[in-house]
């Protein structure tokens, strides 16, 4: 009679390791998600935010460093998102653009306003245009995809800057070595932008150009901004400017809903 071989039962030790492994993965993911909301963090800050022992944080940071998901910041003792995270974000953005979600909404916005519509994102300490639709007018503004400028002045830059974590705002402003009075003016403007939900500028990008930008949010926070750019002679009155503001904010809200459900 052939002897029946029964499969071995998993040991109680092996079974008990499953929750531990799930917890380990969850801890690593929690650390990574912190860098979606903070430009840089110290290990002590991570431990405090997640209520973890410092030894646990150090162990996971070492793994994330080796994998390229985290890098050591230029500031001693701090960490920031690494190149692999940037690649993931770029792939997500490229896929969203490839699907036409952003470009279709920009085309609609440009038709509604008759003006240039653009989508811009933060790229380190700059604001980068990733998609734009030109105006139908002969006399128009131009802002091509791939163009970038410092993350400081202009409606697009201010709309992004206003919605970054406070410590990141501090770092960016410190990098521009502003006079105290100028920094105070900018910080007041950022507070106003957060309160009203959009930013405007006149002549910041180029002489004779007025612009309005509204933030687009996703699950991880700020995703980018929608911007409308108009020659000043077509945005000379409050009524005209309010019209551009209304259409731009609606486009940003529409893309936020898409991003939040993606």
């Amino acid at each position: 009679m052939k002897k029946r071989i029964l499969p071995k039962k998993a040991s109680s030790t092996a079974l008990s390791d499953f929750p531990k492994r799930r917890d380990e993965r969850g801890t690593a993911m929690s650390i990574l998600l912190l860098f979606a909301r903070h430009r840089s963090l110290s290990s002590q800050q991570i431990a405090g935010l997640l209520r973890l022992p410092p030894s646990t944080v150090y162990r996971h940071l070492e793994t994330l460093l080796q994998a390229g998901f985290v890098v050591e910041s230029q500031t001693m003792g701090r960490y920031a998102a690494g190149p692999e995270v940037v690649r993931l974000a770029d792939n997500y953005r490229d896929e969203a653009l490839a699907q036409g979600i952003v470009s279709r909404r920009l085309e609609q916005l440009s038709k509604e306003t008759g003006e240039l519509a653009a989508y811009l994102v933060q790229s380190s300490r700059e604001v980068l245009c990733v998609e734009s639709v030109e105006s139908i007018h002969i006399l128009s503004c131009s802002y091509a995809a791939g163009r970038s400028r410092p993350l400081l002045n202009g409606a697009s830059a201010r709309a992004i800057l206003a919605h970054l974590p406070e410590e990141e705002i501090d770092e960016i402003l410190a990098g521009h070595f502003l006079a105290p009075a100028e920094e105070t003016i900018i910080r007041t403007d950022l507070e106003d932008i957060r309160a009203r939900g959009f930013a405007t500028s006149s002549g910041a990008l180029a002489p004779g150009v007025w612009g309005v930008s509204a933030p687009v949010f996703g699950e991880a926070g700020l995703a980018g901004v929608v911007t409308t750019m108009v020659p000043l002679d077509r945005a000379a009155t409050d009524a005209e400017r309010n019209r551009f503001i209304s259409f731009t904010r609606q486009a940003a809200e529409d893309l936020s809903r898409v991003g939040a459900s993606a």
Side-chain angles (χ1 to χ4, degrees):
M1 185 175 180
K2 192 173 181 180
K3 186 176 180 182
R4 186 181 176 189
I5 301 175
L6 297 175
K8 292 182 179 179
K9 291 185 179 180
S11 68
S12 58
T13 303
L15 289 173
S16 67
D17 283 344
F18 291 157
K20 182 179 179 180
R21 286 198 288 269
R22 284 198 297 269
D23 289 344
E24 292 285 300
R25 290 193 294 268
T27 299
M29 184 63 68
S30 296
I31 292 173
L32 274 178
L33 288 174
L34 285 179
F35 292 109
R37 300 188 294 274
H38 302 274
R39 184 179 179 85
S40 67
L41 291 165
S42 67
S43 58
Q44 292 87 352
Q45 287 174 319
I46 295 171
L49 288 168
L50 298 180
R51 298 181 180 179
L52 292 171
S55 58
T56 300
V57 172
Y58 278 120
R59 186 174 73 253
H60 284 287
L61 282 174
E62 185 61 32
T63 301
L64 294 171
L65 280 164
Q66 291 175 2
F69 286 105
V70 169
V71 294
E72 293 187 68
S73 176
Q74 293 179 349
T75 306
M76 185 69 70
R78 297 180 72 85
Y79 301 86
E84 293 304 319
V85 173
V86 174
R87 290 190 184 98
L88 286 173
D90 286 343
N91 288 341
Y92 172 78
R93 187 178 68 214
D94 291 345
E95 180 63 19
L97 291 171
Q99 291 174 0
I101 296 169
V102 173
S103 60
R104 284 197 299 271
R105 191 60 185 86
L106 291 182
E107 287 171 2
Q108 180 184 340
L109 175 60
S110 185
K111 287 178 181 177
E112 291 167 340
T113 63
E115 305 296 344
L116 181 141
Y119 185 74
L120 301 97
V121 300
Q122 179 189 9
S123 178
S124 185
R125 296 194 178 188
E126 294 191 328
V127 55
L128 172 69
C129 179
V130 294
E131 189 82 0
S132 66
V133 177
E134 297 292 331
S135 166
I136 60 173
H137 298 287
I138 296 175
L139 176 62
S140 64
C141 306
S142 179
Y143 202 82
R147 185 177 174 184
S148 65
R149 56 185 292 111
L151 192 59
L152 184 65
N153 293 317
S156 301
R158 292 286 174 90
I160 290 176
L161 194 58
H163 294 90
L164 296 180
E166 198 64 38
E167 64 180 23
E168 188 169 356
I169 294 174
D170 293 343
E171 288 183 13
I172 291 171
L173 294 183
H176 288 282
F177 304 101
L178 303 167
E182 186 179 3
E183 182 172 336
T184 298
I185 291 171
I186 291 174
R187 288 186 181 277
T188 300
D189 186 40
L190 298 181
E191 290 177 6
D192 292 341
I193 291 167
R194 285 190 289 268
R196 65 176 179 260
F198 63 91
T200 62
S201 65
S202 183
L205 180 64
V209 175
W210 180 86
V212 54
S213 298
V216 175
F217 297 100
E219 289 183 345
L222 181 72
V225 295
V226 173
T227 297
T228 298
M229 297 180 191
V230 190
L232 270 172
D233 62 353
R234 292 201 293 270
T237 68
D238 287 343
E240 289 169 333
R241 294 185 180 192
N242 287 336
R243 174 174 169 272
F244 294 130
I245 290 169
S246 177
F247 280 125
T248 303
R249 293 187 72 185
Q250 186 59 59
E253 289 173 9
D254 290 345
L255 287 176
S256 292
R257 281 194 290 272
V258 171
S261 62

